[in-house]
Amino acid sequence: MCRWLAYSGTPLLLDTILYKPAHSLIDQSLHSKLGVETTNGDGFGVGWYTGDGGAPAVLRDVGPAWNNRNLREIADHVQSPLFFAHIRASTGTAVQQTNCHPFRHGRWLWMHNGSIADFHLIRRELALLVDPVLFNDIEGTTDSEMMFYLAVTFGLDQDPPGAVARMAGIVERIGREHGIEFPLQMTVAVTDGVSVWAFRYSSMGQSRSLFYSSRVDTLRELHPDIAFLQEVSDETRLIVSEPLGDLPGAWNEVPESSYGVVQPGADALLPFTPQAA
């Protein structure tokens, strides 16, 4: 499978989150503690917004994140208020740049950990449901990218939670029509550059790990001596496949079959149920 993180808040150098924590995403590329695989070396990607309202930038490569000089270079120089980062462990599709996350369409970024079971059996049927206007934008061969374009087809621009629910519903329906008992396993993050939505769901009710950071004001009270907490705003939040460290009170598990939204103002955590598309 894979590991990922989503950051939203005070503009920071990517290095601050990607490299500096004790169990950073770069460390997880070699030493994942909660993933299916310990090593996630089948490519990586970073997508970031500059805060000017434009489309995000994306850097992706097929090599492992732990020794990529280009990633190390940009992490020391790129500052962003909202960015995604992903390290990949392939579930069977090719190790190629177009299969690395995050995926981008317009202002949207999408990344995924998990799989569509027996994707090869239902790939064609799912592809035929993608809006023909969008179909040629699909560059790779992964189930993750197919899920993204199905969500765009089902109304991601208007209703992100509903679009993801309809995507999950159609994957489960078609999968079960082909005799696949548990078609879908997913932790997904998607953003339009303003809000971030994160989903934890699986057909068998045993989803991959996902955590969100506690409120910054709460952490300041618990740990007044940590400089980082004094430097970031109360709006700052992280969503991660596994915690970046062991700071007491910092991390909370996302409940099974739920989704959260990090947004200007109050964040929210809500139940998630696939819908018939």
Side-chain angles (χ1 to χ4, degrees):
M1 299 294 175
C2 309
R3 306 278 82 184
W4 58 255
L5 69 79
Y7 172 85
S8 177
T10 298
L12 294 176
L13 288 173
L14 304 188
D15 167 77
T16 307
I17 303 299
L18 292 185
Y19 285 89
K20 287 185 176 179
H23 189 47
S24 70
L25 197 68
I26 305 305
D27 180 66
Q28 291 174 36
S29 66
L30 273 171
H31 306 295
S32 172
K33 298 176 181 179
L34 301 179
V36 175
E37 298 88 5
T38 301
T39 302
N40 297 270
D42 294 330
F44 71 87
V46 181
W48 67 93
Y49 296 82
T50 61
D52 63 359
V58 174
L59 171 71
R60 300 185 293 177
D61 204 352
V62 297
W66 64 76
N67 67 354
N68 190 278
R69 294 179 66 182
N70 288 331
L71 179 60
R72 176 71 269 184
E73 181 71 17
I74 71 159
D76 286 334
H77 296 279
V78 170
Q79 189 176 58
S80 174
L82 198 166
F83 60 87
F84 280 8
H86 186 281
I87 51 176
R88 184 171 184 242
S90 173
T91 56
T93 49
V95 178
Q96 61 191 45
Q97 191 176 87
T98 54
N99 284 345
C100 294
H101 311 219
F103 302 101
R104 175 180 59 191
H105 178 75
R107 71 181 190 276
W108 292 97
L109 287 177
W110 172 284
M111 58 186 176
H112 167 233
N113 173 37
S115 65
I116 296 175
D118 292 318
F119 178 54
H120 64 288
L121 297 179
I122 62 174
R123 179 181 173 188
R124 181 176 181 275
E125 287 185 54
L126 294 176
L128 290 173
L129 294 173
V130 174
D131 187 330
V133 173
L134 301 170
F135 188 81
N136 288 337
D137 293 335
I138 299 175
E139 296 184 319
T141 60
T142 63
D143 49 0
S144 303
E145 190 179 18
M146 185 72 72
M147 291 163 64
F148 179 30
Y149 278 94
L150 286 169
V152 175
T153 297
F154 295 149
L156 190 64
D157 277 326
Q158 296 78 36
D159 175 17
V164 175
R166 289 185 285 275
M167 175 278 294
I170 203 71
V171 169
E172 289 197 321
R173 179 177 68 78
I174 292 176
R176 285 169 179 152
E177 287 174 354
H178 285 259
I180 302 168
E181 185 178 7
F182 301 118
L184 185 58
Q185 173 72 246
M186 70 175 204
T187 61
V188 162
V190 60
T191 181
D192 60 358
V194 177
S195 301
V196 179
W197 293 264
F199 301 81
R200 184 178 185 224
Y201 176 80
S202 64
S203 304
M204 67 189 306
Q206 297 177 16
S207 302
R208 302 292 180 246
S209 59
L210 193 64
F211 297 82
Y212 64 94
S213 60
S214 298
R215 289 174 53 93
V216 171
D217 55 355
T218 300
L219 290 174
R220 286 196 199 104
E221 293 180 8
L222 291 173
H223 307 285
D225 55 330
I226 296 180
F228 174 80
L229 297 174
Q230 308 302 321
E231 297 166 358
V232 296
S233 71
D234 289 351
E235 295 281 334
T236 297
R237 192 68 70 109
L238 275 157
I239 307 169
V240 298
S241 293
E242 56 188 80
L244 305 184
D246 56 3
L247 186 68
W251 301 103
N252 311 274
E253 186 173 15
V254 175
E256 185 70 52
S257 299
S258 64
Y259 78 94
V261 55
V262 175
Q263 59 193 351
D267 299 336
L269 184 61
L270 301 161
F272 177 80
T273 304
Q275 298 176 13

